[in-house]
Amino acid sequence: MPPTSGIFVYKTMKRLPSIKHVAFIKAPISKVYETLTTAKGWDSWFTNGTTLNLEEKRLEFIWTLDGPYKANGKETGPIVSAIPNKEFSFIWHEGVHDTTVKFVLDTTEEGTKIIVTEAGYSPTDEGMWQMLECACGWGEALTLLKFYLEHGITYRTAFNLT
């Protein structure tokens, strides 16, 4: 009889649980929101060639020879919500299926609380591995965003990447 806990349980689910990370950034909420809702904002800390149009509700992230693996990438999708200084969400294609990424912002005494969630992973082996990879990735991404907004440090400048 197969076990009813652990890795076997996810295959009986409709969707895997959401990824969730929380960070505190010592920057005004308006600056955090602007960084997340403009191509210039994303390109300043995470991508290099992004297009983002709030009016048309479309975005395209582009990575070119970035990070330790020198990976190229391109992800496109619709913007689901853009509520100034509160929320920004979009759909993109992760692995073999679409997921929804959502940033929720809140003002704190020292700056901004940011929560990022990603939902929609399929309960398959491939979906599980993609979710685990992205769970690590969003933790790294929030750290990069925090360092950029608090100290002006980016991965490219810290390691002389162009």
Side-chain angles (χ1 to χ4, degrees):
M1 179 173 199
T4 58
S5 64
I7 198 160
F8 296 99
V9 171
Y10 76 83
K11 291 186 178 187
T12 64
M13 304 168 78
K14 274 186 129 175
R15 290 279 176 220
L16 293 172
S18 298
I19 294 168
K20 181 179 179 181
H21 287 281
V22 180
F24 295 94
I25 299 174
K26 292 181 182 179
I29 198 168
S30 59
K31 186 173 182 180
V32 176
Y33 182 78
E34 180 181 356
T35 303
L36 294 173
T37 59
T38 64
K40 181 180 177 183
W42 280 93
D43 283 351
S44 65
W45 68 280
F46 196 64
T47 59
N48 49 10
T50 288
T51 57
L52 192 155
N53 189 314
L54 292 178
E55 290 177 11
E56 294 179 11
K57 297 185 177 186
R58 296 290 305 164
L59 59 77
E60 178 180 74
F61 293 120
I62 295 176
W63 297 268
T64 307
L65 301 174
D66 209 2
Y69 302 108
K70 301 292 185 200
N72 294 316
K74 180 177 174 180
E75 294 289 341
T76 62
I79 294 170
V80 176
S81 66
I83 304 168
N85 302 327
K86 296 282 182 200
E87 179 180 302
F88 178 64
S89 64
F90 55 88
I91 296 171
W92 65 357
H93 192 74
E94 278 299 322
V96 295
H97 52 277
D98 291 344
T99 61
T100 302
V101 176
K102 183 177 186 179
F103 295 91
V104 176
L105 308 176
D106 195 18
T107 300
T108 69
E109 287 183 26
E110 294 188 27
T112 303
K113 175 183 172 183
I114 182 170
I115 301 170
V116 63
T117 58
E118 185 171 12
Y121 289 97
S122 297
T124 63
D125 289 343
E126 188 171 353
M128 174 64 82
W129 288 111
Q130 189 67 43
M131 183 188 79
L132 292 171
E133 185 176 293
C134 288
C136 293
W138 281 117
E140 179 183 12
L142 282 186
T143 301
L144 293 171
L145 179 62
K146 179 179 177 68
F147 273 57
Y148 169 70
L149 288 172
E150 290 183 2
H151 307 288
I153 298 170
T154 66
Y155 191 86
R156 285 179 210 86
T157 58
F159 296 100
N160 296 319
L161 300 173
T162 57

Short mmCIF file of all heavy atoms in Angstrom, two decimals, residues 77-112:
data_model
loop_
_atom_site.label_atom_id
_atom_site.label_comp_id
_atom_site.label_asym_id
_atom_site.label_seq_id
_atom_site.Cartn_x
_atom_site.Cartn_y
_atom_site.Cartn_z
N GLY A 77 3.32 37.51 -20.86
CA GLY A 77 2.02 37.22 -20.29
C GLY A 77 1.21 38.45 -20.02
O GLY A 77 1.70 39.58 -20.11
N PRO A 78 -0.04 38.23 -19.65
CA PRO A 78 -0.92 39.36 -19.33
C PRO A 78 -0.72 39.84 -17.90
O PRO A 78 -0.39 39.06 -17.00
CB PRO A 78 -2.32 38.76 -19.51
CG PRO A 78 -2.15 37.32 -19.16
CD PRO A 78 -0.76 36.96 -19.66
N ILE A 79 -0.91 41.13 -17.72
CA ILE A 79 -0.95 41.70 -16.38
C ILE A 79 -2.38 41.53 -15.87
O ILE A 79 -3.34 41.90 -16.53
CB ILE A 79 -0.54 43.19 -16.40
CG1 ILE A 79 0.93 43.31 -16.82
CG2 ILE A 79 -0.79 43.85 -15.04
CD1 ILE A 79 1.39 44.73 -17.10
N VAL A 80 -2.52 40.95 -14.69
CA VAL A 80 -3.83 40.68 -14.11
C VAL A 80 -4.32 41.85 -13.29
O VAL A 80 -5.48 42.24 -13.37
CB VAL A 80 -3.79 39.39 -13.25
CG1 VAL A 80 -5.12 39.13 -12.56
CG2 VAL A 80 -3.36 38.20 -14.09
N SER A 81 -3.43 42.43 -12.48
CA SER A 81 -3.83 43.56 -11.64
C SER A 81 -2.65 44.50 -11.44
O SER A 81 -1.50 44.08 -11.43
CB SER A 81 -4.35 43.09 -10.28
OG SER A 81 -3.32 42.49 -9.53
N ALA A 82 -2.98 45.77 -11.32
CA ALA A 82 -1.99 46.81 -11.02
C ALA A 82 -2.71 47.88 -10.22
O ALA A 82 -3.24 48.85 -10.77
CB ALA A 82 -1.39 47.38 -12.30
N ILE A 83 -2.75 47.70 -8.91
CA ILE A 83 -3.40 48.63 -8.01
C ILE A 83 -2.30 49.44 -7.34
O ILE A 83 -1.52 48.88 -6.55
CB ILE A 83 -4.25 47.89 -6.96
CG1 ILE A 83 -5.28 46.98 -7.65
CG2 ILE A 83 -4.93 48.89 -6.02
CD1 ILE A 83 -5.96 46.00 -6.73
N PRO A 84 -2.20 50.74 -7.66
CA PRO A 84 -1.08 51.54 -7.17
C PRO A 84 -0.81 51.38 -5.68
O PRO A 84 -1.73 51.47 -4.85
CB PRO A 84 -1.49 52.97 -7.52
CG PRO A 84 -2.35 52.80 -8.74
CD PRO A 84 -3.11 51.52 -8.48
N ASN A 85 0.44 51.08 -5.38
CA ASN A 85 0.95 50.96 -4.02
C ASN A 85 0.26 49.87 -3.20
O ASN A 85 0.35 49.86 -1.98
CB ASN A 85 0.87 52.29 -3.28
CG ASN A 85 1.65 53.36 -4.00
OD1 ASN A 85 2.67 53.09 -4.63
ND2 ASN A 85 1.17 54.58 -3.93
N LYS A 86 -0.38 48.93 -3.87
CA LYS A 86 -1.07 47.82 -3.19
C LYS A 86 -0.73 46.45 -3.77
O LYS A 86 -0.39 45.54 -3.04
CB LYS A 86 -2.59 48.00 -3.25
CG LYS A 86 -3.13 49.19 -2.54
CD LYS A 86 -3.18 48.95 -1.06
CE LYS A 86 -3.78 50.16 -0.36
NZ LYS A 86 -3.45 50.20 1.04
N GLU A 87 -0.87 46.33 -5.11
CA GLU A 87 -0.79 45.00 -5.70
C GLU A 87 -0.37 45.05 -7.17
O GLU A 87 -0.75 45.97 -7.89
CB GLU A 87 -2.17 44.35 -5.60
CG GLU A 87 -2.29 42.98 -6.19
CD GLU A 87 -3.69 42.43 -6.04
OE1 GLU A 87 -4.19 42.33 -4.90
OE2 GLU A 87 -4.31 42.15 -7.08
N PHE A 88 0.39 44.04 -7.57
CA PHE A 88 0.74 43.86 -8.97
C PHE A 88 0.78 42.36 -9.22
O PHE A 88 1.43 41.61 -8.48
CB PHE A 88 2.10 44.49 -9.28
CG PHE A 88 2.55 44.30 -10.70
CD1 PHE A 88 1.83 44.87 -11.74
CD2 PHE A 88 3.67 43.55 -11.00
CE1 PHE A 88 2.23 44.70 -13.06
CE2 PHE A 88 4.09 43.37 -12.31
CZ PHE A 88 3.36 43.94 -13.35
N SER A 89 0.07 41.90 -10.26
CA SER A 89 0.11 40.47 -10.57
C SER A 89 0.08 40.25 -12.08
O SER A 89 -0.41 41.08 -12.84
CB SER A 89 -1.05 39.73 -9.89
OG SER A 89 -2.29 40.17 -10.37
N PHE A 90 0.61 39.11 -12.47
CA PHE A 90 0.68 38.75 -13.88
C PHE A 90 0.67 37.23 -14.02
O PHE A 90 0.89 36.50 -13.05
CB PHE A 90 1.93 39.33 -14.55
CG PHE A 90 3.22 38.97 -13.88
CD1 PHE A 90 3.90 37.80 -14.20
CD2 PHE A 90 3.78 39.81 -12.92
CE1 PHE A 90 5.10 37.46 -13.58
CE2 PHE A 90 4.98 39.49 -12.30
CZ PHE A 90 5.64 38.31 -12.63
N ILE A 91 0.40 36.79 -15.23
CA ILE A 91 0.45 35.37 -15.56
C ILE A 91 1.63 35.16 -16.49
O ILE A 91 1.84 35.95 -17.42
CB ILE A 91 -0.85 34.91 -16.24
CG1 ILE A 91 -2.03 35.06 -15.27
CG2 ILE A 91 -0.74 33.46 -16.74
CD1 ILE A 91 -3.39 34.83 -15.90
N TRP A 92 2.39 34.11 -16.24
CA TRP A 92 3.46 33.75 -17.15
C TRP A 92 3.51 32.24 -17.26
O TRP A 92 2.82 31.53 -16.54
CB TRP A 92 4.77 34.38 -16.77
CG TRP A 92 5.41 33.96 -15.46
CD1 TRP A 92 4.92 33.10 -14.52
CD2 TRP A 92 6.67 34.38 -14.98
NE1 TRP A 92 5.79 32.97 -13.48
CE2 TRP A 92 6.89 33.75 -13.74
CE3 TRP A 92 7.65 35.22 -15.46
CZ2 TRP A 92 8.03 33.94 -12.98
CZ3 TRP A 92 8.79 35.41 -14.71
CH2 TRP A 92 8.97 34.79 -13.49
N HIS A 93 4.35 31.76 -18.15
CA HIS A 93 4.43 30.33 -18.44
C HIS A 93 5.64 29.75 -17.73
O HIS A 93 6.76 30.11 -18.04
CB HIS A 93 4.54 30.11 -19.95
CG HIS A 93 4.33 28.70 -20.36
ND1 HIS A 93 3.09 28.11 -20.35
CD2 HIS A 93 5.20 27.75 -20.77
CE1 HIS A 93 3.21 26.86 -20.75
NE2 HIS A 93 4.48 26.61 -21.01
N GLU A 94 5.39 28.91 -16.76
CA GLU A 94 6.47 28.25 -16.02
C GLU A 94 6.47 26.78 -16.36
O GLU A 94 5.47 26.09 -16.12
CB GLU A 94 6.29 28.43 -14.51
CG GLU A 94 6.80 29.75 -14.00
CD GLU A 94 8.27 29.94 -14.25
OE1 GLU A 94 9.06 28.99 -14.13
OE2 GLU A 94 8.64 31.07 -14.56
N GLY A 95 7.54 26.30 -16.90
CA GLY A 95 7.61 24.88 -17.25
C GLY A 95 6.63 24.56 -18.35
O GLY A 95 6.72 25.08 -19.45
N VAL A 96 5.65 23.74 -18.02
CA VAL A 96 4.67 23.31 -19.02
C VAL A 96 3.29 23.92 -18.80
O VAL A 96 2.33 23.52 -19.44
CB VAL A 96 4.54 21.76 -19.03
CG1 VAL A 96 5.84 21.13 -19.47
CG2 VAL A 96 4.10 21.24 -17.68
N HIS A 97 3.17 24.88 -17.90
CA HIS A 97 1.86 25.46 -17.62
C HIS A 97 1.98 26.90 -17.16
O HIS A 97 3.07 27.37 -16.83
CB HIS A 97 1.13 24.62 -16.57
CG HIS A 97 1.96 24.38 -15.33
ND1 HIS A 97 2.90 23.38 -15.26
CD2 HIS A 97 2.00 25.03 -14.16
CE1 HIS A 97 3.48 23.42 -14.07
NE2 HIS A 97 2.96 24.41 -13.40
N ASP A 98 0.86 27.60 -17.14
CA ASP A 98 0.82 29.00 -16.69
C ASP A 98 0.68 29.06 -15.17
O ASP A 98 0.01 28.22 -14.56
CB ASP A 98 -0.35 29.74 -17.31
CG ASP A 98 -0.19 29.96 -18.80
OD1 ASP A 98 0.94 29.82 -19.31
OD2 ASP A 98 -1.19 30.27 -19.46
N THR A 99 1.33 30.06 -14.58
CA THR A 99 1.17 30.34 -13.16
C THR A 99 0.88 31.82 -13.00
O THR A 99 1.18 32.63 -13.89
CB THR A 99 2.42 29.96 -12.34
OG1 THR A 99 3.53 30.72 -12.80
CG2 THR A 99 2.72 28.47 -12.44
N THR A 100 0.32 32.18 -11.86
CA THR A 100 0.02 33.58 -11.54
C THR A 100 0.96 34.03 -10.43
O THR A 100 1.02 33.41 -9.37
CB THR A 100 -1.44 33.74 -11.10
OG1 THR A 100 -2.29 33.27 -12.15
CG2 THR A 100 -1.76 35.20 -10.79
N VAL A 101 1.68 35.12 -10.70
CA VAL A 101 2.58 35.73 -9.73
C VAL A 101 1.89 36.99 -9.20
O VAL A 101 1.39 37.81 -9.98
CB VAL A 101 3.93 36.10 -10.37
CG1 VAL A 101 4.83 36.82 -9.36
CG2 VAL A 101 4.60 34.86 -10.92
N LYS A 102 1.89 37.14 -7.89
CA LYS A 102 1.20 38.28 -7.27
C LYS A 102 2.09 38.91 -6.20
O LYS A 102 2.61 38.20 -5.33
CB LYS A 102 -0.11 37.82 -6.64
CG LYS A 102 -0.94 38.90 -6.03
CD LYS A 102 -2.25 38.28 -5.51
CE LYS A 102 -3.22 39.29 -5.00
NZ LYS A 102 -4.46 38.64 -4.55
N PHE A 103 2.28 40.22 -6.30
CA PHE A 103 2.99 40.99 -5.29
C PHE A 103 1.96 41.82 -4.53
O PHE A 103 1.18 42.55 -5.15
CB PHE A 103 4.00 41.95 -5.93
CG PHE A 103 5.12 41.28 -6.66
CD1 PHE A 103 5.00 41.00 -8.01
CD2 PHE A 103 6.28 40.92 -6.00
CE1 PHE A 103 6.02 40.38 -8.71
CE2 PHE A 103 7.32 40.30 -6.70
CZ PHE A 103 7.18 40.03 -8.05
N VAL A 104 1.96 41.72 -3.21
CA VAL A 104 1.09 42.53 -2.37
C VAL A 104 1.99 43.39 -1.50
O VAL A 104 2.93 42.89 -0.87
CB VAL A 104 0.16 41.66 -1.50
CG1 VAL A 104 -0.67 42.52 -0.56
CG2 VAL A 104 -0.75 40.81 -2.39
N LEU A 105 1.71 44.70 -1.48
CA LEU A 105 2.54 45.66 -0.74
C LEU A 105 1.75 46.27 0.41
O LEU A 105 0.54 46.51 0.29
CB LEU A 105 3.00 46.78 -1.68
CG LEU A 105 3.67 46.36 -2.98
CD1 LEU A 105 3.97 47.57 -3.84
CD2 LEU A 105 4.94 45.58 -2.70
N ASP A 106 2.47 46.58 1.49
CA ASP A 106 1.86 47.24 2.64
C ASP A 106 2.92 48.14 3.29
O ASP A 106 4.10 47.75 3.36
CB ASP A 106 1.35 46.21 3.64
CG ASP A 106 0.40 46.79 4.68
OD1 ASP A 106 -0.14 47.89 4.46
OD2 ASP A 106 0.20 46.13 5.71
N THR A 107 2.51 49.29 3.73
CA THR A 107 3.42 50.22 4.39
C THR A 107 3.71 49.75 5.81
O THR A 107 2.80 49.32 6.53
CB THR A 107 2.81 51.64 4.42
OG1 THR A 107 2.59 52.06 3.08
CG2 THR A 107 3.73 52.63 5.10
N THR A 108 4.98 49.85 6.21
CA THR A 108 5.38 49.56 7.58
C THR A 108 6.06 50.81 8.14
O THR A 108 6.28 51.77 7.41
CB THR A 108 6.37 48.37 7.65
OG1 THR A 108 7.61 48.78 7.06
CG2 THR A 108 5.82 47.15 6.94
N GLU A 109 6.39 50.77 9.41
CA GLU A 109 7.06 51.92 10.03
C GLU A 109 8.39 52.23 9.36
O GLU A 109 8.79 53.38 9.27
CB GLU A 109 7.29 51.66 11.52
CG GLU A 109 6.04 51.74 12.35
CD GLU A 109 6.33 51.54 13.83
OE1 GLU A 109 7.46 51.82 14.28
OE2 GLU A 109 5.40 51.09 14.54
N GLU A 110 9.07 51.21 8.89
CA GLU A 110 10.40 51.40 8.32
C GLU A 110 10.45 51.30 6.81
O GLU A 110 11.52 51.36 6.22
CB GLU A 110 11.37 50.39 8.93
CG GLU A 110 11.59 50.62 10.41
CD GLU A 110 12.70 49.74 10.96
OE1 GLU A 110 13.59 49.36 10.20
OE2 GLU A 110 12.65 49.45 12.15
N GLY A 111 9.31 51.13 6.15
CA GLY A 111 9.35 51.00 4.70
C GLY A 111 8.16 50.25 4.16
O GLY A 111 7.02 50.63 4.35
N THR A 112 8.44 49.11 3.50
CA THR A 112 7.41 48.36 2.80
C THR A 112 7.53 46.87 3.10
O THR A 112 8.62 46.30 3.04
CB THR A 112 7.54 48.57 1.28
OG1 THR A 112 7.46 49.97 1.00
CG2 THR A 112 6.45 47.85 0.52
#
